[in-house]
Amino acid sequence: MIILGIETSCDETAVAILKRQDNRVQILSNIVATSLELQSKFGGVFPEQAAREQLRYIIPTLDEALAQAFPDTEASNRPKKINAIAITQGPGLIGSLLIGVETAKTLSLVWQKPLIPINHLIAHFYANWTNDQTPQFPALGLLVSGGHTDLVLFKDHYSYEYLGGTRDDAAGECFDKCARLLGLPYPGGPQISLRAKTGNPKAYRLPKPMYSTSDFDMSFSGLKTAVVNLVSELTQTGPLTDQQIDDLSASIEHTICQLLTHKTILALQKYPVSNLMVAGGVAANSTLRRMLEHEVNKFDPTIQIFIPPTKLCTDNGVSTASAGFFTPPLDNPLDLQADPNLSLMN
Ligand code: KG4
Ligand code: ZN
């Protein structure tokens, strides 16, 4: 079984081709075109511009993914090697999603291939299915991306219970907004992470909203507000020094990671599972990886933790195609509608 996965939910145009044989998933190609440079220039993602970039990149990215997966096959014969197409249906930016969805519908019709609709949030978790070892159910899932921060209990493929999540900003959004306050470029997560390496995580005491509630909900907007106030206080006598930026970065990163780790352990205490899956852009954060590994191991060393390789944490087509192996195709591909509000609760 060979699946071509297309992901265009935000500012990445991503296409990957995966082969599944004897329960092993092999990545034949993984192409990601990103308009990150543009977003960095403007300090964030501008929806209309992101959609225009999707349109610019979609066909070249498809072409490159096919060429890399099947280098010895003539270009016109490459689509024949594909068994199905998996496509991100949502959530995301409507303009960006539409480019991928309409392209996938057209390809499905022209190539005569089944079309598999994928929830992008679920897809993030399926980046964990591309190694030799794959998660076993029941498993706890922690999704930490730019738009979402959720704890989910997976009983089986596509059988899951939403446990809780952020009530306001997502963890990635908090990284991005705080980075902006420190004058660091977009996306802020990797920048804060870099500066944190030479900073003191205990230099500034930041609030941990909802840390002591017994539910699985989280909140990050109060943390951002505290950083606004702190920066305005520190800059009264002049711009932030390099050391202050490093220390603030380390303190912000440490606080976000503590919040995420604490709620994850709380969920593991209530729901005894032997596997934890982490996913989403913030899962690339090395402090979060270390803290989770340390605390989970302390809580129960038999729990196996799955975190995708760094480049599969952020948006990519591999996760989409990987989820496609476990998702039924549509009866009528032309019925598919992009859904910017798709969530883990429906
Ligand atoms: O999953 P993703 O690529 O896009 C969404 O679907 O939202 O996540 C992007 C988010 C951004 O907020 C970015 O700052 C964050 O992931 N991120 C990180 C790191 N790498 C990416 N945050 C913290 N540390 C990182 N190393
Ligand atoms: Zn994503």
Side-chain angles (χ1 to χ4, degrees):
M1 179 79 167
I2 296 183
I3 293 188
L4 177 139
I6 304 176
E7 145 60 25
T8 67
S9 66
C10 190
D11 56 340
E12 266 99 15
T13 312
V15 181
I17 298 172
L18 268 59
K19 180 178 182 175
R20 185 164 185 249
Q21 204 168 22
D22 307 325
N23 276 335
R24 271 201 72 223
V25 173
Q26 189 192 348
I27 300 172
L28 302 184
S29 65
N30 175 24
I31 310 296
V32 182
T34 174
S35 45
L36 208 64
E37 232 170 78
L38 271 181
Q39 321 295 357
S40 174
K41 201 160 109 196
F42 294 106
V45 178
F46 282 79
E48 187 186 325
Q49 198 179 40
R52 286 177 191 276
E53 294 297 302
Q54 293 285 3
L55 206 49
R56 189 153 80 101
Y57 288 129
I58 187 82
I59 300 299
T61 308
L62 265 164
D63 257 351
E64 205 177 322
L66 284 162
Q68 213 176 81
F70 313 115
D72 303 328
T73 308
E74 218 178 288
S76 59
N77 286 329
R78 286 175 187 148
K80 294 187 187 132
K81 301 251 180 190
I82 306 284
N83 298 110
I85 300 165
I87 173 70
T88 303
Q89 182 184 9
L93 302 172
I94 184 64
S96 294
L97 286 169
L98 278 170
I99 311 290
V101 166
E102 295 309 312
T103 304
K105 277 158 79 171
T106 308
L107 293 178
S108 154
L109 199 70
V110 175
W111 291 349
Q112 293 287 297
K113 306 287 173 188
L115 188 63
I116 309 170
I118 301 294
N119 178 327
H120 177 63
L121 306 179
I122 296 287
H124 268 299
F125 287 111
Y126 278 90
N128 286 305
W129 260 263
T130 51
N131 283 331
D132 275 348
Q133 279 185 317
T134 53
Q136 303 296 313
F137 298 111
L140 180 72
L142 170 69
L143 174 66
V144 275
S145 71
H148 294 82
T149 301
D150 300 301
L151 275 163
V152 189
L153 181 66
F154 281 88
K155 292 162 192 167
D156 204 338
H157 293 292
Y158 280 87
S159 164
Y160 55 82
E161 187 185 332
Y162 179 81
L163 302 182
T166 182
R167 294 207 184 157
D168 39 57
D169 292 350
E173 198 177 348
C174 186
F175 268 112
D176 295 339
K177 286 179 175 172
C178 289
R180 203 176 174 154
L181 292 167
L182 305 186
L184 300 173
Y186 179 89
Q191 296 292 327
I192 290 209
S193 180
L194 196 68
R195 298 298 294 253
K197 289 194 197 319
T198 38
N200 172 8
K202 298 207 170 109
Y204 300 101
R205 243 183 101 79
L206 294 167
K208 287 190 226 143
M210 300 196 69
Y211 185 87
S212 35
T213 60
S214 58
D215 56 22
F216 306 112
D217 283 346
M218 295 168 245
S219 164
F220 294 94
S221 72
L223 176 56
K224 176 202 64 197
T225 310
V227 175
V228 171
N229 295 335
L230 193 55
V231 169
S232 108
E233 208 179 290
L234 292 169
T235 50
Q236 267 172 11
T237 48
L240 292 174
T241 63
D242 277 346
Q243 191 57 52
Q244 281 175 324
I245 295 176
D246 291 355
D247 287 345
L248 280 163
S249 295
S251 304
I252 293 162
E253 180 181 70
H254 191 72
T255 309
I256 295 175
C257 295
Q258 273 187 325
L259 277 162
L260 294 169
T261 305
H262 175 69
K263 290 285 170 158
T264 303
I265 299 289
L266 217 59
L268 288 171
Q269 280 167 352
K270 180 156 178 191
Y271 301 97
V273 294
S274 51
N275 282 206
L276 168 68
M277 303 187 276
V278 190
V282 181
N285 185 279
S286 53
T287 301
L288 180 64
R289 287 171 177 246
R290 253 197 330 271
M291 208 184 274
L292 273 173
E293 269 159 22
H294 183 259
E295 292 302 317
V296 172
N297 197 36
K298 206 165 80 184
F299 168 69
D300 180 353
T302 65
I303 294 176
Q304 215 182 333
I305 309 178
F306 291 85
I307 308 182
T310 314
K311 73 172 198 275
L312 295 185
C313 287
T314 45
D315 292 343
N316 63 81
V318 170
S319 312
T320 315
S322 173
F325 289 117
F326 305 97
T327 315
L330 293 162
D331 290 334
N332 183 0
L334 295 185
D335 284 346
L336 183 67
Q337 300 292 330
D339 183 353
N341 300 315
L342 211 59
S343 80
L344 285 171
M345 283 179 270
N346 45 24

